[in-house]
Amino acid sequence: MSSLSQLFFDDYARAYEQYDARAVADMYFVPAVIMSDERKNVYTTPEAIAEVIDDLMDRLQSIGAALCEAEVCQTMRLSENIMFSNVKWTFKNVQEQKLFSCFVSYTLQSEGESLKIIVSVIDDEERELERLLFTTA
């Protein structure tokens, strides 16, 4: 179960490194929830998800993020087809210097042999990005 989750997030990381918001959006079920402490939004189309991901990618590019690594820290089964994963993301620049790390939680559902995200909780990522954007401004 955790190896399937790690493979999924390795693919997710590759899509981020290519700044391919559409490929990331395709890894979400529709409707999907992307939430933080400040907002809880439901997205009903892949295009809407891609728009949110593209905005996040723009902020990552502005701090020089070029590489990202996913380390699945915890995965637990919630039902036969639904699981929860907590992922430690590490973002690095082109010189492979660490910019920041953060934790994001996901609820995923299996779809055949693959997984899709139902819910993302991005508080940690939002805080770190805002801190870096503020210090580089």
Side-chain angles (χ1 to χ4, degrees), residues 102-122:
C102 63
F103 290 90
V104 179
S105 298
Y106 300 90
T107 304
L108 304 128
Q109 185 170 347
S110 58
E111 182 180 68
E113 296 297 313
S114 65
L115 296 171
K116 290 223 176 197
I117 300 167
I118 302 169
V119 178
S120 296
V121 182
I122 59 172

Side-chain angles (χ1 to χ4, degrees), residues 5-6 8-9 20 25 30 32 42 56 59 63 66 75 77 80 91 112 115-116 119 126 128 137:
S5 181
Q6 183 64 59
F8 174 82
F9 286 107
D20 188 345
V30 174
V42 177
L56 182 58
R59 294 188 298 163
I63 63 164
T75 295
R77 188 171 297 286
E80 186 176 332
F91 294 90
L115 296 171
K116 290 223 176 197
V119 178
E126 291 281 323
E128 286 299 314

Side-chain angles (χ1 to χ4, degrees), residues 16 19 39 52-65 91 99-102 104 122-137:
Y16 255 84
Y19 287 100
R39 58 189 166 95
V52 170
I53 300 297
D54 194 46
D55 178 58
L56 182 58
M57 287 177 170
D58 286 346
R59 294 188 298 163
L60 286 168
Q61 275 187 314
S62 73
I63 63 164
F91 294 90
L99 298 170
F100 73 98
S101 290
C102 63
V104 179
I122 59 172
D123 282 333
D124 207 18
E125 186 175 41
E126 291 281 323
R127 272 191 300 276
E128 286 299 314
L129 267 173
E130 291 305 315
R131 181 184 65 78
L132 285 168
L133 287 168
F134 180 74
T135 58
T136 59

Side-chain angles (χ1 to χ4, degrees), residues 37-74:
D37 281 341
E38 289 78 37
R39 58 189 166 95
K40 289 138 186 76
N41 296 324
V42 177
Y43 299 92
T44 58
T45 66
E47 294 77 22
I49 296 168
E51 189 175 306
V52 170
I53 300 297
D54 194 46
D55 178 58
L56 182 58
M57 287 177 170
D58 286 346
R59 294 188 298 163
L60 286 168
Q61 275 187 314
S62 73
I63 63 164
L67 304 168
C68 64
E69 299 170 359
E71 176 189 346
V72 176
C73 299
Q74 176 188 22

